[in-house]
Structure formats: structure tokens, C-alpha cells
Amino acid sequence: MRIATYNVNSITARLPRLLAWLESSGTDVLCIQETKCTAEQFPAEALREAGYASAVNATGRWNGVALLSRVGLTDVVTGLPGGPEYDGVQEPRAISATCGPLRLWSVYVPNGREVEHEHYAYKLRWLEALRKAVAAGAAGALPFAVLGDFNVAPTDEDVWDPALFEGATHVTPAERAALAALEAEGLSEVHPRPLKYDRAYTFWDYRELRFPKNKGMRIDLTFGNAPFTAAVKDSYVDREERKGKGASDHAPVVVDLDL
């Protein structure tokens, strides 16, 4: 069984590439982030024609998450239970469902913007709410995983130049402690291998030729419970999908399971 997580940076802009990638990669379940569309604009019919059921949590603008599955999609929970609000609303940043033998979450963690910004405090509150929300699933017997764009680089090895990020979000001790607290609920990170170079970056900014120069970050992550990680056969960053015209600024992260 093959699952993946992918920040598509607008599903409507990326739909032809996404459909081609789903077919060529043989992905069974895909966790999507940053749909940048409303639920009504989400291309559910095109995905259904490609063989995928979909569940979406999206209201437009810059957020939005979804789950695609060709192995079943049931017990959908839209949103983050107990999640904090920002500017008076709970943003569409989480969705979970049972997909065949798995229970999966697709999450898009707030960016944080700047350490002194209210969005950073919101990010930490959101991660704490996520920890509480996934605790029961993490401790369960069903293979369970949380995948998505966490907007946190777990270690200094996960950014191309740690010195450039001093004092910035994505690398602060508090953000990394939030990931450690998530793991303490019974989850372990699945580390992907790179298809090129020695570091498995998942995001490269469009500016300054950062992708060809491999100046990236690893912020798209997978955390699974013991039944999930025991089934992992392989994981890799599909760097090829970041290439070419019309690509997202993220690459898909693929996880192969013996399920």
C-alpha cells in the first residue's frame, strides 16, 4: 500500500500535474495541504473519475486540506477538535479519516510568520491541540499516522543553512519541542530517503533558484504509531515532481507499507 503527503500549493492550479502524478506513482491514499480553494471549488469529480474518493476541509484563500483514497474513505472528521481560532475562526487545517486499514490525518500547521507575531503563538497552540486530538489514535491498535506540512524543520540538518534561520520560525526550540511532545503520545517519525543529494528536503522556495541549488527545508513530515511504523517498507521524497513548469514549491513524500 502506498500513501503520500503533498502540499500542492493550489489544487486547481496543480490539477493536471496531480492527476498525472497519482497515476504514475500508484498512490493509494494522498494527504493534501494548501488546496487554496473552497469546498465547492474542490475538483472532487475529476478525482472521482481517476478512481479516488475525496474528503475536503477548505474555505478558500491560503489554507485547506484534503484526503484522497482509492481504498475506502470513512469516518471523516473535518477540522481539529479543540483547535484554536485565528482572527475569530478555526482555519481549515486538519482532516482525518479511515482509509482501508489505516486511520490518517492530513494537517497543515500554521506558518508562524515571525517569532514575535501572534501567528507564532497561534502555531504553538495549534500544535498542542493536535497533540491532544491524536493521542487516542496514536495509542490504538489500528495503524495510525499524521502526515502533512508541519512548517517545522525537526533538526538543523533539515535546513540548507541553519545560520540563516537563527531567530526565525520553523526552527525554534518551542516548535521542535511541540514535535517531540507529539511523538511522546506514541508516534515516531518516518524518515524519508532523498532521491538525490544527501538530504531529503521537501520544500524549496521559488525565489533565487533555490530548487536547482538545493537550498531547501524538510518540513513535510510523517508521524506514525507502532502498528504503522512496523509496516513501513520504504519512504522517499519524490523530488522529480518538484521539477518543471507549474510545479508546487513542495515535493510529495511517499510512504510504502506492507498492509
Side-chain angles (χ1 to χ4, degrees):
M1 185 175 183
R2 173 165 287 180
I3 68 172
T5 181
Y6 188 14
N7 179 323
V8 295
N9 189 14
S10 175
I11 193 167
T12 52
R14 232 64 65 187
L15 184 60
R17 285 189 65 129
L18 176 61
L19 291 170
W21 182 81
L22 285 168
E23 182 176 5
S24 65
S25 67
T27 298
D28 296 302
V29 183
L30 179 63
C31 301
I32 291 178
Q33 302 83 45
E34 209 169 350
T35 60
K36 289 186 175 178
C37 67
T38 65
E40 293 74 22
Q41 294 168 330
F42 189 82
E45 183 58 34
L47 292 162
R48 186 179 300 111
E49 291 176 359
Y52 292 87
S54 58
V56 59
N57 181 15
T59 56
R61 302 185 71 184
W62 303 285
N63 304 317
V65 289
L67 279 163
L68 311 181
S69 175
R70 61 181 186 182
V71 294
L73 188 66
T74 60
D75 301 322
V76 176
V77 175
T78 301
L80 177 60
E85 294 184 347
Y86 191 76
D87 283 344
V89 298
Q90 187 180 115
E91 297 177 317
R93 294 183 175 275
I95 192 166
S96 58
T98 300
C99 303
L102 302 165
R103 182 73 186 176
L104 299 176
W105 284 68
S106 175
V107 301
Y108 182 35
V109 176
N111 177 281
R113 300 180 187 172
E114 299 175 353
V115 173
E116 300 302 323
H117 199 286
E118 169 57 23
H119 207 260
Y120 177 78
Y122 163 62
K123 179 179 190 175
L124 297 180
R125 293 195 302 271
W126 201 95
L127 284 165
E128 173 60 12
L130 178 66
R131 180 192 67 80
K132 293 177 180 178
V134 305
L142 189 72
F144 174 91
V146 185
L147 305 91
D149 179 355
F150 280 78
N151 272 314
V152 182
T155 72
D156 283 353
E157 291 294 309
D158 297 310
V159 294
W160 66 274
D161 187 347
L164 294 179
F165 289 85
E166 288 186 12
T169 61
H170 292 57
V171 300
T172 64
E175 291 167 290
R176 289 173 172 173
L179 292 188
L182 188 69
E183 289 189 280
E185 294 295 339
L187 300 174
S188 300
E189 188 183 353
V190 176
H191 293 270
R193 58 184 174 86
L195 293 185
K196 186 178 181 180
Y197 303 113
D198 59 347
R199 296 182 183 179
Y201 297 144
T202 65
F203 166 81
W204 301 259
D205 197 293
Y206 289 126
R207 299 170 297 177
E208 300 173 349
L209 298 175
R210 290 193 179 177
F211 178 67
K213 295 177 181 178
N214 201 36
K215 295 180 176 181
M217 305 176 70
R218 190 173 72 87
I219 56 177
D220 301 88
L221 312 173
T222 300
F223 293 94
N225 68 355
F228 180 92
T229 57
V232 173
K233 298 191 298 180
D234 190 18
S235 182
Y236 62 91
V237 178
D238 190 352
R239 191 179 185 278
E240 294 298 305
E241 187 57 24
R242 176 60 176 80
K243 295 180 178 179
K245 184 178 180 180
S248 171
D249 46 4
H250 294 249
V253 180
V254 176
V255 183
D256 286 333
L257 302 161
D258 189 12
L259 289 173

